[in-house]
Amino acid sequence: MNYHGVLQRYCHLSDLPDYSQTITLFEGNTPLIPAPRLAEELGGGFELFIKFEGLNPTGSFKDRGMTAAISEAVGREAKTVICASTGNTAASAAAYAARAGLKAVVLIPQGKVAAGKLAGAVAYGAQVLQIDGSFDDALAMVVEISERHPIALVNSINPYRIEGQKTAAFEICDTLKQAPDWLCLPVGNAGNISAYWAGFKAYHEHKFTGLPRILGVQAQGAAPLVLGHAVEQPETVATAIRIGRPARGEQALQAAEESRGQIIAASDESILAMQKRLAKEGLWVEPASAAGLAGLAKELQAGKINLQGKRVVVICTGHGLKDPDIITKAMAKPNTLPPKLEALEEIIIP
Ligand SMILES: *Cc1c(COP(=O)(O)O)cnc(C)c1O
């Protein structure tokens, strides 16, 4: 077979212990999609690419990190894995644990997890537990229980998650033959922004591909890294980044600073508007996934960023199918017609 998962493709660059046993669903290798019309609408003069991470096996980039975390856990003979999750980590952990024959336990904040994510975790056979609290509460619980019991923690504070997620930066450099000038992405618990920055740095050392400036985007109601303090009750439609106490917050700020980038906040309105705009490119992403582009548009409109002649990559982190309710609850019910050609003609022929 000539196609591998991300660990095999980039084994020379990922720092996993020798005892790891590769568990893969052939994640990664996601498309980098040019979006010239969208770039034009945003002011033009730059090249825009969307990396659609929603095309990973469970519908989000979490799979890149999960293949690594589960491979390591299996190597040291863990029998159970646990995570706190706003949804996508849960679905991913459940799938990779199932593939490895491990038990998965996932803790989710009550009532705040998108339907497709919860369904995924259940379908893959995880034990799903709701916490009457926030993601941050759930994370504190799983950290503590994994210290007390032989249960492997697979949240992004697990260093192997970051190792796996670096591979997205490698893929971008491989496709473009160099790093882009700017990379824009949503920021929640801040594992992914940390992984991209580490990935670009590692690739640059290896292949001299250069380094991007990084624009990290939080949702306005969940923007601890912009405010400079934790947010006790984070609120946003972008549930995947509804996090008030990012575990890798310091690293995210460092990535922004070292790369001469920035972390900013985008409103829920602008995130939902950008979700709609991406759909017009044929890309249906979940709300959080549109935050990177919403933030970029905001900076452009405010004249705070100059992209003339630059190349920009925006990361769309998860698939729209994960959160169908956000679309269906706002839509008008489809017209019902009798099964008659005239009725159809009357409606669709001008
Ligand atoms: C997890 C997730 C994020 C946030 O990533 P962090 O590593 O927590 O910053 C953004 N979008 C989607 C779709 C996610 O699943």
Side-chain angles (χ1 to χ4, degrees):
M1 191 155 60
N2 59 15
Y3 176 58
H4 295 299
V6 293
L7 298 182
Q8 290 128 312
R9 273 176 73 205
Y10 294 109
C11 59
H12 55 297
L13 285 164
S14 48
D15 199 7
L16 289 193
D18 291 338
Y19 59 75
S20 305
Q21 286 190 30
T22 303
I23 303 295
T24 182
L25 287 163
F26 303 89
E27 58 293 315
N29 205 18
T30 55
L32 193 60
I33 303 167
R37 195 172 43 180
L38 186 46
E40 211 51 49
E41 255 175 58
L42 293 173
F46 66 100
E47 264 186 296
L48 178 63
F49 294 87
I50 311 286
K51 187 152 177 78
F52 193 15
E53 288 285 280
L55 295 181
N56 275 295
T58 78
S60 85
F61 74 84
K62 299 297 197 302
D63 296 341
R64 293 179 185 274
M66 207 53 73
T67 182
I70 300 288
S71 295
E72 189 274 339
V74 169
R76 69 179 144 95
E77 296 181 354
K79 298 286 177 259
T80 304
V81 302
I82 195 165
C83 66
S85 179
T86 60
N88 280 329
T89 301
S92 186
Y96 283 80
R99 182 126 171 115
L102 305 184
K103 176 177 175 179
V105 181
V106 306
L107 268 63
I108 58 174
Q110 189 168 27
K112 298 291 180 182
V113 169
K117 302 179 188 182
L118 181 56
V122 173
Y124 297 123
Q127 182 172 11
V128 178
L129 303 166
Q130 293 200 73
I131 301 301
D132 183 11
S134 65
F135 168 84
D136 305 284
D137 298 325
L139 184 60
M141 289 170 72
V142 296
V143 167
E144 203 168 332
I145 204 160
S146 66
E147 282 163 2
R148 286 196 200 177
H149 301 276
I151 300 177
L153 180 68
V154 295
N155 278 103
S156 61
I157 46 181
N158 176 326
Y160 307 114
R161 280 277 308 275
I162 303 302
E163 283 305 307
Q165 286 171 214
K166 282 181 188 175
T167 59
F170 305 160
E171 287 178 13
I172 291 170
C173 293
D174 279 344
T175 305
L176 299 178
K177 310 292 180 222
Q178 62 184 45
D181 297 299
W182 278 93
L183 182 91
C184 310
L185 80 172
V187 176
N189 212 23
N192 212 28
I193 186 173
S194 306
Y196 269 99
W197 184 235
F200 281 116
K201 284 196 293 188
Y203 224 52
H204 181 56
E205 272 176 35
H206 179 66
K207 288 195 164 176
F208 309 105
T209 38
L211 295 170
R213 300 176 73 171
I214 297 191
L215 183 70
V217 185
Q218 301 203 286
Q220 213 139 63
L225 300 178
V226 179
L227 297 170
H229 58 78
V231 174
E232 291 309 325
Q233 285 177 332
E235 266 317 330
T236 169
V237 286
T239 51
I241 52 173
R242 186 173 166 274
I243 292 175
R245 210 179 281 280
R248 290 187 185 269
E250 283 305 315
Q251 252 177 291
L253 292 168
Q254 202 181 334
E257 192 185 315
E258 274 181 30
S259 75
R260 297 180 303 122
Q262 216 181 331
I263 297 186
I264 63 168
S267 67
D268 276 8
E269 266 178 329
S270 71
I271 289 172
L272 292 176
M274 205 47 90
Q275 183 192 33
K276 279 198 183 134
R277 181 59 192 81
L278 279 162
K280 290 189 185 165
E281 298 294 317
L283 299 172
W284 182 24
V285 306
E286 67 167 281
S289 299
L293 195 56
L296 182 72
K298 181 179 168 184
E299 291 298 278
L300 279 167
Q301 275 154 17
K304 289 192 188 156
I305 195 171
N306 181 357
L307 296 180
Q308 289 309 303
K310 303 290 187 207
R311 188 180 256 178
V312 182
V313 170
V314 171
I315 309 302
C316 284
T317 44
H319 205 288
L321 285 165
K322 291 281 191 156
D323 193 355
D325 300 344
I326 201 91
I327 305 295
T328 52
K329 78 177 185 219
M331 80 181 190
K333 249 181 112 190
N335 276 337
T336 305
L337 307 182
K340 297 272 190 295
L341 197 62
E342 310 82 76
L344 181 60
E345 277 176 338
E346 198 172 307
I347 299 260
I348 69 167
I349 307 295

